[in-house]
Amino acid sequence: MLDEKVRTQAMTRLKKKGRLRDSPAIGRLPVPGRHEGHAVVVGSGPAGLFAAYVLGLSGLRVTLLDRGARLEERGKRVVQFHRTRVPDAETNLLFGEGGAGTYSDGKLYTRVDHALEIPILDELVDCGAPPDILYDARAHIGTDRLHRLIPKLRAKLAEAGVSFHWNTRLEGLVKRDRRVVAVRTTGGEIACDHLVLALGHSARDSWTMLQQQGVSFEAKPFQLGVRVEHPQELITKGRYGTDALGPASYNLVCKPAGTYSFCMCPGGRIVASVNEAGFLCTNGMSNARHSSGFANAALVTTFGPKEFGDGAFAGVAFQRRFEEAFFQAGGSDYTAPAQRVPDFLAGRLSEGPFRTSYVLGTRPGRIDELMPGRGREALARALESFDRQIEGFASDAGILVGIETRSSGPVRMMRDPETRTAIGWENLYPIGEGAGYAGGIMSAALDGARSAQRLLGVVES
């Protein structure tokens, strides 16, 4: 735990910056008492990691499965994808130790105010995160720090009795009445007393399998849009008027259009968050120093059943249609279509080449034609609004790169709000972004920890 002197210093720095947030009540992760049994947790993103940690600290035997590799191997396979442009369906920027957040900006913002927030942040600080995250209203770790932190968090879980099975995909459930008694995996069958599903927002094949096994799903609204990238100096000058304060970020909203910026990465870069051949999705990430020279963010609009139709997986089909169209428009090799902002607004093809941070390259594309009509109209209105807030935002310096479809998941596994168990099941707990109950690193970690405590009998007031 962080000592009081370090806490005071962190709070003082953030107060000077105007970013000190109020601290909520502080809870405890372990649940006192005698707890027995075996819990299987599927998925090692923030929800799965903190669910497993709480269960292990509280005395349960815990087995954590992930279809992807541990972080050291995961990094190698990501590099291989960048070299070969052939995605690994199991280990990639979406699947593997740490989940999709491992290759994101490492932001810890959340609208959830809960007593477990500080204990979770304390654990991250103990693993190497900066102490400021305990009090910073705009807390950010950075991709590079996340990669150093996660192995230390893994060691904490191991000390709590959690065992890990990497490269192990969930393939089915063995059920008796309303209970899961075992899981079928690529590594064999594992008996369990409790099953926690922390699958992540891109586990489309697992969702289909679970629905066939009797888990109830419903469609939920999700966000779709593109990345916009500028020289960092343009954003910093537009926000601060000087570079003395370091790389600037922004949080922009155009309420009339229903469009806003998401996962803004100062000094970051754009990456290809893909796990399926033939589909393109972009995301952003940045290291702690924000040193790339580029600023990028998603500009997204919310879509719901009105746009993508009825059916639990109609939103998934909607995502896939546009991911496939953008993949083909980029040349079917994970090159991304790109368009300068003025050309998007005017409805014309841009002249290349483009200077962007996207490692797999860009080519001119008619993003204005590729996007769904409502998204195109909303984005155009938002870009004009944002240009009034940051001078040059809609200039030739702004490059649109797309598409981004996975800032949130399009489905929800239906669960009882009191017990947190899946509807119709006694011991199956869907958690995190993949279950439709979180939207970011911190909210997913909280959902995992809270669900684990509910499994252990804690009833929240």
Side-chain angles (χ1 to χ4, degrees):
M1 295 293 183
L2 200 64
D3 66 43
E4 192 58 36
K5 180 179 180 181
V6 176
R7 287 180 189 273
T8 301
Q9 291 173 342
M11 293 176 68
T12 300
R13 285 195 301 270
L14 289 166
K15 187 174 182 179
K16 289 180 179 178
K17 295 179 181 179
R19 284 169 39 177
L20 181 65
R21 66 174 175 85
D22 294 332
S23 296
I26 300 177
R28 296 179 70 248
L29 291 175
V31 175
R34 183 177 177 82
H35 303 283
E36 298 179 345
H38 178 213
V40 170
V41 178
V42 183
S44 68
L49 287 171
F50 276 94
Y53 192 36
V54 169
L55 296 173
L57 288 173
S58 303
L60 263 69
R61 184 164 65 91
V62 182
T63 300
L64 191 151
L65 316 176
D66 198 292
R67 65 191 297 166
R70 58 187 281 171
L71 188 57
E72 294 84 350
E73 177 61 28
R74 187 182 180 190
K76 295 176 183 176
R77 297 196 201 178
V78 169
V79 170
Q80 185 177 18
F81 165 60
H82 289 157
R83 289 175 178 169
T84 65
R85 298 178 185 253
V86 177
D88 185 321
E90 305 300 330
T91 299
N92 42 62
L93 270 74
L94 296 166
F95 299 149
E97 186 177 17
T102 305
Y103 288 90
S104 71
D105 197 39
K107 290 184 175 69
L108 301 178
Y109 317 160
T110 178
R111 295 183 178 90
V112 180
D113 184 10
H114 194 272
L116 292 181
E117 183 176 0
I118 293 300
I120 289 172
L121 292 173
D122 263 327
E123 297 294 346
L124 297 179
V125 170
D126 194 47
C127 291
D132 289 14
I133 68 171
L134 289 161
Y135 310 102
D136 190 349
R138 305 290 292 174
H140 165 261
I141 294 179
T143 307
D144 51 343
R145 282 179 175 161
L146 276 175
H147 282 237
R148 294 193 295 269
L149 178 157
I150 287 173
K152 295 179 182 178
L153 183 58
R154 182 205 310 151
K156 277 181 168 283
L157 267 69
E159 290 176 5
V162 177
S163 62
F164 299 88
H165 291 221
W166 306 112
N167 305 300
T168 304
R169 185 178 66 250
L170 176 68
E171 294 199 315
L173 311 179
V174 180
K175 51 188 176 178
R176 184 177 300 134
D177 298 325
R178 292 160 53 92
R179 297 183 63 82
V180 181
V181 297
V183 293
R184 292 193 299 272
T185 78
T186 51
E189 190 169 293
I190 304 173
C192 63
D193 300 298
H194 313 278
L195 175 61
V196 180
L197 296 176
L199 301 174
H201 60 43
S202 295
R204 296 165 174 172
D205 53 354
S206 297
W207 294 336
T208 301
M209 176 274 292
L210 289 166
Q211 186 191 51
Q212 293 170 350
Q213 299 246 283
V215 178
S216 297
F217 285 79
E218 63 180 354
K220 63 177 274 296
F222 72 97
Q223 290 69 46
L224 180 149
V226 295
R227 282 269 145 188
V228 63
E229 187 163 72
H230 299 85
Q232 179 62 56
E233 60 185 356
L234 182 149
I235 300 301
T236 300
K237 182 179 179 181
R239 299 299 278 176
Y240 297 155
T242 174
D243 60 5
L245 299 176
S249 63
Y250 57 78
N251 181 22
L252 302 174
V253 179
C254 180
K255 290 185 178 180
T259 298
Y260 58 93
S261 63
F262 177 83
C263 187
M264 194 275 149
C265 301
R269 61 190 179 98
I270 301 173
V271 296
S273 289
V274 299
N275 60 298
E276 296 178 272
F279 299 90
L280 176 66
C281 179
T282 59
N283 192 14
M285 57 179 278
S286 64
N287 291 332
R289 291 182 175 272
H290 306 291
S291 58
S292 76
F294 293 95
N296 76 81
L299 301 181
V300 296
T301 305
T302 301
F303 291 81
K306 180 180 178 181
E307 288 82 22
F308 54 70
D310 297 328
F313 297 144
V316 175
F318 190 77
Q319 285 179 321
R320 290 171 65 89
R321 183 171 47 151
F322 290 100
E323 290 172 3
E324 184 176 27
F326 271 76
F327 176 75
Q328 294 173 352
S332 299
D333 66 352
Y334 299 99
T335 300
Q339 190 175 24
R340 290 187 175 84
V341 173
D343 296 326
F344 174 88
L345 295 172
R348 61 177 176 248
L349 191 69
S350 297
E351 292 186 7
F354 304 99
R355 185 172 177 267
T356 77
S357 66
Y358 183 64
V359 68
L360 295 174
T362 56
R363 63 184 294 178
R366 289 293 301 273
I367 289 177
D368 60 301
E369 293 182 342
L370 291 165
M371 289 191 68
R374 178 170 167 270
R376 176 178 62 250
E377 294 163 5
L379 179 57
R381 189 171 184 179
L383 286 166
E384 292 170 345
S385 172
F386 298 160
D387 192 59
R388 293 191 289 271
Q389 299 176 59
I390 299 178
E391 185 177 356
F393 197 92
S395 70
D396 275 344
I399 309 293
L400 302 178
V401 179
I403 188 171
E404 177 144 345
T405 60
R406 308 203 195 177
S407 57
S408 64
V411 301
R412 178 177 290 113
M413 295 185 210
M414 299 171 69
R415 75 184 186 190
D416 184 288
E418 297 298 326
T419 66
R420 291 182 173 246
T421 53
I423 298 297
W425 299 79
E426 295 180 355
N427 65 339
L428 192 159
Y429 295 81
I431 64 172
E433 288 194 43
Y437 296 98
I441 292 174
M442 194 62 203
S443 62
L446 277 168
D447 192 62
R450 293 172 67 184
S451 296
Q453 290 196 344
R454 187 65 191 89
L455 183 157
L456 295 166
V458 174
V459 178
E460 296 182 352
S461 59

